[in-house]
């Protein structure tokens, strides 16, 4: 517990810079939490503020402040790509149909309608993401989520709890931290964040029929078009896969 009587600062590893529901102020540049900024001694008996602080890093290779900035940058980049795909689907030109056929094994009107409905919902959900809702996988028990925690098997990147989609939590596992940020020809943090948001029931309500981020996933899509349209990795690749990293870099969005 922290005494309210002084301007006591305590380290906070998992809070978004700004203000929380108690009005505590945080420094965006440092991992500190300002508990109270009054210079007047508190004379109210037993008047205390209980502060629960978890300083464990989400990724061991960066501070939590650095992580928060990174995931918000990933979110913003994903939103830009989704907007581009929304425009593509609206035009439904030859290039877009080829892209759809590559990842979904089809480019018919039914798929176009599913994308036209789902992509704007996905954009909205990603715009709602907040850094404090992207947490360490072992912190899920403290968030009132209804799903059982998926144990870290060493290969899991992230997870969401579908019944609690409206809460917009994403649980981050250690393997996520080993991925490149935006290696769009393969697996990367950018695609992983998009992947998880497609699982929200109010976006695509996607499934994990198969995992993959390259030619093998595209070949599977040709043989399973009825599954590919709602497969999380297939949707993530439709949005954010580029055969050449240079094509992505030319966009100037990272």
């Amino acid at each position: 517990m922290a005494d309210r009587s002084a301007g006591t600062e305590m380290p906070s590893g998992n809070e978004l810079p700004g203000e929380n529901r108690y009005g505590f102020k945080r420094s965006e540049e440092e991992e500190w939490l300002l508990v109270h900024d009054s210079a007047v001694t508190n004379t109210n008996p037993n008047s205390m503020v209980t502060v629960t602080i978890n300083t464990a890093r989400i990724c061991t290779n960066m501070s939590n402040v650095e992580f928060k900035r990174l995931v918000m940058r990933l979110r913003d980049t994903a939103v830009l790509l989704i907007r581009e795909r929304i425009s593509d689907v609206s035009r439904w030109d030859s290039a877009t149909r080829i892209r759809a056929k590559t990842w979904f094994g089809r480019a018919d009107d039914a798929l176009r309608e599913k994308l036209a409905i789902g992509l704007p919902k996905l954009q909205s959900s990603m715009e709602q993401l907040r850094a404090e809702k992207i947490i360490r996988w072992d912190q899920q028990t403290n968030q009132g989520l209804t799903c059982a925690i998926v144990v870290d098997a060493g290969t899991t990147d992230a997870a969401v709890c579908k019944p609690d989609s409206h809460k917009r939590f994403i649980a981050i596992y250690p393997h996520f931290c080993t991925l490149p940020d935006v290696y769009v020809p393969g697996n990367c943090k950018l695609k992983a964040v998009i992947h998880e948001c497609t699982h929200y029931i109010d976006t695509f309500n996607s499934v994990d029929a198969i995992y993959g981020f390259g030619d093998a996933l595209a070949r599977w899509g040709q043989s399973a078009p009825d599954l590919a349209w709602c497969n999380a990795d297939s949707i993530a690749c439709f949005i954010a896969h580029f055969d050449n990293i240079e094509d992505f870099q030319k966009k100037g969005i990272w």
Side-chain angles (χ1 to χ4, degrees):
M1 296 196 302
D3 193 333
R4 293 177 59 187
S5 64
T8 307
E9 288 187 344
M10 300 185 68
S12 170
N14 299 304
E15 297 290 347
L16 178 70
E19 292 192 354
N20 67 11
R21 61 195 177 113
Y22 297 110
F24 298 159
K25 298 177 181 178
R26 306 175 185 85
S27 166
E28 186 173 354
E29 302 301 323
E30 300 180 34
E31 296 185 82
W32 292 92
L33 174 67
L34 180 60
V35 176
H36 200 273
D37 60 0
S38 173
V40 180
T41 300
N42 183 2
T43 59
N44 295 326
N46 301 318
S47 179
M48 305 287 284
V49 175
T50 300
V51 181
T52 301
I53 298 173
N54 187 334
T55 59
R57 290 187 172 191
I58 299 172
C59 286
T60 58
N61 57 352
M62 68 184 79
S63 72
N64 284 344
V65 168
E66 291 170 329
F67 176 83
K68 294 166 193 171
R69 290 174 181 155
L70 174 61
V71 294
M72 291 296 94
R73 188 180 179 194
L74 291 169
R75 177 203 64 183
D76 293 345
T77 301
V79 167
L80 292 174
L81 288 173
I82 294 167
R83 287 176 182 169
E84 183 175 316
R85 298 295 166 250
I86 291 172
S87 296
D88 291 344
V89 171
S90 178
R91 290 193 308 273
W92 206 237
D93 57 13
S94 175
T96 304
R97 294 196 301 273
I98 290 172
R99 188 176 189 90
K101 186 72 166 59
T102 297
W103 298 111
F104 302 120
R106 55 193 281 196
D108 54 20
D109 289 341
L111 173 67
R112 183 186 184 187
E113 182 178 1
K114 291 178 187 299
L115 293 173
I117 293 171
L119 287 171
K121 292 181 177 179
L122 180 61
Q123 177 187 328
S124 177
S125 75
M126 298 206 73
E127 289 172 341
Q128 293 167 23
L129 286 181
R130 297 293 178 264
E132 71 267 27
K133 298 290 188 73
I134 304 177
I135 59 176
R136 275 174 56 101
W137 71 275
D138 54 0
Q139 293 177 329
Q140 295 175 80
T141 54
N142 302 323
Q143 309 301 331
L145 301 178
T146 57
C147 298
I149 295 178
V150 177
V151 177
D152 181 20
T155 57
T156 303
D157 292 326
V160 300
C161 179
K162 274 194 173 186
D164 296 320
S165 292
H166 63 286
K167 295 182 179 180
R168 301 295 190 237
F169 276 98
I170 300 178
I172 298 296
Y173 287 73
H175 190 265
F176 176 91
C177 305
T178 68
L179 299 176
D181 294 343
V182 290
Y183 182 66
V184 287
N187 197 7
C188 61
K189 294 184 179 77
L190 176 64
K191 287 182 181 177
V193 172
I194 296 172
H195 170 119
E196 294 305 325
C197 290
T198 69
H199 282 317
Y200 293 143
I201 58 177
D202 56 344
T203 62
F204 281 95
N205 193 24
S206 68
V207 298
D208 291 323
I210 192 172
Y211 294 104
F213 289 95
D215 291 341
L217 180 65
R219 288 194 298 271
W220 172 81
Q222 310 310 304
S223 63
D226 291 337
L227 284 175
W229 78 266
C230 63
N231 184 56
D233 274 349
S234 302
I235 299 169
C237 282
F238 175 76
I239 294 167
H241 183 89
F242 295 80
D243 288 334
N244 300 307
I245 188 69
E246 293 80 9
D247 292 336
F248 171 76
Q249 292 170 335
K250 288 176 184 177
K251 294 182 176 295
I253 59 176
W254 184 257

